[in-house]
Amino acid sequence: MTSSPDFTALLREAALRVTRPRVAVLEAVHAHPHADTDSIYRAARIELPEVSLQAVYDVLSALTEVGLVRRIQPQGHLARYEARVGDNHHHAVCRACGTIGDVDCAVGETPCLTASDSHGFILDEAEVIYWGLCPTCAASRPPESTP
């Protein structure tokens, strides 16, 4: 069984001052992977009822800037946040309900960073999004009939 992260230590290691809003937001992101800002706000308010929505936005920005959380924004969706950082994983997004799941790289640690043509860029990250239907939405669809 894995233990929960020490949020205070994570903030200190990232050279961020430890505040109650930062701890509450970091805890919410860890507890709710791929959550949008409003969901994180609602979760943080359980631990810290006085936290404001603006404070949550500010904290998410600070946490993203130092690499404690990752911000993703699939096309047509609100920005989402996750605590899985430091690897080059990708995401699968359900077209019907918007559920997001993590997808590890198919081969090696960063195979997507070997671009066919980098155009002179020094590449350090690749973002791949797979689109489809999650198992729940796929199961609820009527079978397609063939002519």
Side-chain angles (χ1 to χ4, degrees):
M1 184 168 141
T2 59
S3 62
S4 63
D6 179 349
F7 301 114
T8 299
L10 288 173
L11 290 166
R12 286 188 177 127
E13 289 168 12
L16 287 177
R17 192 167 50 91
V18 176
T19 64
R20 292 179 66 212
R22 285 180 177 162
V23 171
V25 170
L26 191 54
E27 186 174 86
V29 172
H30 276 261
H32 306 283
H34 309 123
D36 62 21
T37 305
D38 192 52
S39 298
I40 293 167
Y41 170 63
R42 288 193 311 270
R45 284 182 54 92
I46 292 170
E47 293 298 316
L48 189 62
E50 67 272 15
V51 72
S52 69
L53 181 58
Q54 185 59 53
V56 170
Y57 274 105
D58 293 345
V59 169
L60 286 169
S61 177
L63 296 176
T64 301
E65 188 174 316
V66 298
L68 287 178
V69 301
R70 180 177 175 194
R71 180 183 187 272
I72 62 169
Q73 188 167 8
Q75 182 178 0
H77 293 262
L78 297 172
R80 308 289 184 101
Y81 295 88
E82 65 180 345
R84 184 176 171 183
V85 297
D87 68 352
N88 194 44
H89 73 279
H90 308 298
H91 297 95
V93 180
C94 180
R95 290 184 188 280
C97 70
T99 294
I100 299 175
D102 290 332
V103 178
D104 290 327
C105 283
V107 180
E109 289 185 34
T110 56
C112 300
L113 293 182
T114 306
S116 60
D117 184 351
S118 69
H119 301 282
F121 286 75
I122 298 172
L123 302 176
D124 62 9
E125 183 178 358
E127 185 174 312
V128 175
I129 298 179
Y130 299 96
W131 294 90
L133 294 175
C134 69
T136 302
C137 292
S140 68
R141 287 196 122 169
E144 293 185 23
S145 60
T146 55

